[in-house]
Amino acid sequence: MKKVVVTGSAGFIGGYIVEELLNQGYEVVGVDNYSKYGPIKKSYDDNPNYRLVVGDVQDVELMTELLSDADHFIAGAALIGGISYFHTYAYDLIAQNERIIASSVDAAIAAHKHGRLEKVTYMSSSMVFESTDRWPSKEGDERLVPPPLSSYGFQKLAVEYFARAAWDQYKLPYTILRPFNCVGIGESRALGDVEIDSGNVKLAMSHVVPDLVQKVLKGQDPLHILGEGDQVRHYTYGGDLARGIVLSLDHPAARNEDFNVSTAEGHTVKELAEVIWRKIKGPDVPLRLTSDPGFEHDVQKRVPDVTKAKEVLGFEATTKLEDMLDEVIPWIENAVKDGTI
C-alpha cells in the first residue's frame, strides 16, 4: 500500500482528493491547520488508512518527517478563494503562498534525498492563463503569454517554476496539474471572507456556483451577476478533478509533465445562472438578471485545451453541469438553513 501525504486536506478540493485516494487503496496522511474553514469533520476521518495531522505546512521539520516514509506528496495547501478574495488579500495570497510552497519543496527535497519519496504533485491553477490571448489554452502557453496580473495567478505560475527548478537542481520529480473551476460540496464560508452586498443579499464571495445558488435560494429577483455575464468558465466536478489527480500519481507518462485538468464543456455565467434558476425555480418562473460592477481580475474567458490529459493519461472529466448541480444545490440549501454558508 503506497502512502500519500496531502497538504490542504481539509480544503474544498483536498477533501475530494483524500476520498479518491482512500477509494483507490492508498494510505493517506492529511496535513491542515484549519486556517480557512476552522475545524471540520470529514466522512473519512475514522478510515483506518487515513491520519490527519493538524499542523502548519510551513514547519519544514514536521513536513520532512511526514514525507520521509511517503511515496507521494500532493502539495495542495494554499490560501485560495473566489474573485473578491483575490482583491481583499492581494498581498497575503502571494506572500503566504510563497512561504507555503518554499517550505513544502524544501521538505520534499530532503525526503526525496534521504527517504523514499518518489514525486511531488503540484496543484497549480487555470489562473496561470489569466493573461492569455489564445483559446483554448494548452500546456506550454503559460510560458508564451504575458504573466498573470493578479497576485494569486502570478504565484500559481511561480509554483510551476518551483516544480521545475527543484527537478533541475535536485532531480525531484514532479507533475503539475491545473484544475479549472472546481464545483462540488464541502465549500463553506471561509473564516476570512469579507461580506459584500450583491443586491439584497449579503454574501461572502467564494465562487460563482455556490454564490448564485445562495442568491436564488434566498429569493433574490432579479438575480445579480458580476459584469455582463458573458464570462466563459469550464465548471469541473470535484470528483472528476480528484480522479485525474490520483490517476497521475503512478502514471509513468505523468513524470515531469504538466496537465490541464478540466471538463471540455464551457458555459457563460448567464448560461450557468439559467441552469441554476431552472433547477430551483422550475420551468415557469421567468429569470431576470441584473449586473453588478465586475472585478478587475475577473477573466472574461478561461478555456482549457484538455487534449494532453486525454491522450497521455487517458483522463476525461465527464460529469455534466446539470448533474453537478443536482448534488450541490441540496447541499447548499442545507448549509444555508444551518447557517454554515
Side-chain angles (χ1 to χ4, degrees):
M1 181 182 291
K2 287 198 169 185
K3 180 186 285 188
V4 183
V5 172
V6 181
T7 57
S9 59
F12 179 34
I13 297 178
Y16 279 101
I17 293 172
V18 171
E19 190 171 41
E20 180 69 16
L21 285 166
L22 293 171
N23 289 340
Q24 294 290 335
Y26 288 89
E27 180 184 353
V28 183
V29 176
V31 185
D32 207 293
N33 64 356
Y34 290 142
S35 63
K36 184 167 186 181
Y37 299 130
I40 56 175
K41 296 291 186 182
K42 294 287 190 179
S43 60
Y44 46 73
D45 283 344
D46 296 326
N47 188 303
N49 292 323
Y50 178 67
R51 176 165 73 101
L52 172 65
V53 176
V54 179
D56 193 333
V57 179
Q58 296 173 83
D59 185 338
V60 177
E61 185 176 347
L62 170 66
M63 289 303 302
T64 303
E65 178 186 346
L66 294 175
L67 291 171
S68 63
D69 64 345
D71 301 283
H72 287 288
F73 174 24
I74 299 177
L79 297 184
I80 185 173
I83 185 63
S84 70
Y85 204 86
F86 294 166
H87 295 76
T88 304
Y89 299 107
Y91 175 77
D92 292 350
L93 281 169
I94 192 166
Q96 192 72 1
N97 284 342
E98 284 293 283
R99 298 183 190 109
I100 288 170
I101 192 61
S103 300
S104 298
V105 180
D106 285 350
I109 289 168
H112 178 63
K113 183 177 181 180
H114 302 293
R116 70 171 200 247
L117 184 67
E118 297 176 20
K119 186 178 74 171
V120 180
T121 299
Y122 296 84
M123 302 304 296
S124 182
S125 168
S126 61
M127 285 293 286
V128 301
F129 300 119
E130 181 181 355
S131 299
T132 192
D133 57 2
R134 56 201 73 186
W135 300 273
S137 298
K138 64 182 180 181
E139 294 86 349
D141 283 354
E142 74 285 350
R143 293 183 156 202
L144 302 176
V145 302
L149 296 176
S150 69
S151 61
Y152 176 77
F154 186 84
Q155 196 281 321
K156 279 301 186 182
L157 183 60
V159 167
E160 301 191 9
Y161 278 80
F162 268 88
R164 293 188 171 97
W167 166 255
D168 289 343
Q169 184 172 352
Y170 294 102
K171 299 307 173 194
L172 175 64
Y174 67 87
T175 299
I176 296 167
L177 300 174
R178 302 184 193 97
F180 278 69
N181 293 92
C182 181
V183 174
I185 63 172
E187 185 177 25
S188 302
R189 176 171 298 215
L191 296 177
D193 270 347
V194 177
E195 286 194 337
I196 67 169
D197 290 318
S198 183
N200 62 336
V201 175
K202 278 188 176 293
L203 290 172
M205 295 294 287
S206 48
H207 292 95
V208 63
V209 171
D211 282 352
L212 285 178
V213 171
Q214 287 179 70
K215 289 174 185 176
V216 178
L217 288 172
K218 292 174 180 178
Q220 188 178 78
D221 185 6
L223 182 62
H224 286 244
I225 59 174
L226 281 179
E228 297 304 312
D230 297 321
Q231 308 97 311
V232 176
R233 299 289 186 269
H234 284 235
Y235 302 106
T236 309
Y237 180 53
D240 285 343
L241 287 176
R243 184 166 48 84
I245 291 162
V246 174
L247 176 63
S248 75
L249 290 184
D250 289 305
H251 199 301
R255 180 184 168 102
N256 295 350
E257 291 287 351
D258 59 327
F259 300 93
N260 297 334
V261 188
S262 173
T263 178
E265 188 175 3
H267 295 83
T268 66
V269 171
K270 285 180 181 176
E271 290 169 341
L272 172 67
E274 178 80 29
V275 175
I276 291 172
W277 185 268
R278 296 286 161 238
K279 288 276 186 186
I280 298 173
K281 296 288 191 178
D284 300 324
V285 180
L287 169 62
R288 298 185 300 159
L289 296 174
T290 188
S291 294
D292 290 340
F295 284 96
E296 179 185 355
H297 299 307
D298 191 8
V299 180
Q300 293 304 296
K301 188 158 59 170
R302 199 179 298 159
V303 180
D305 188 323
V306 296
T307 306
K308 185 177 179 181
K310 181 178 180 180
E311 292 182 349
V312 175
L313 301 178
F315 169 76
E316 291 183 88
T318 55
T319 307
K320 299 293 185 184
L321 177 62
E322 291 79 1
D323 296 330
M324 299 177 217
L325 292 173
D326 285 340
E327 178 180 325
V328 170
I329 290 172
W331 187 88
I332 293 178
E333 189 169 17
N334 287 329
V336 169
K337 289 177 181 176
D338 295 340
T340 57
I341 196 170

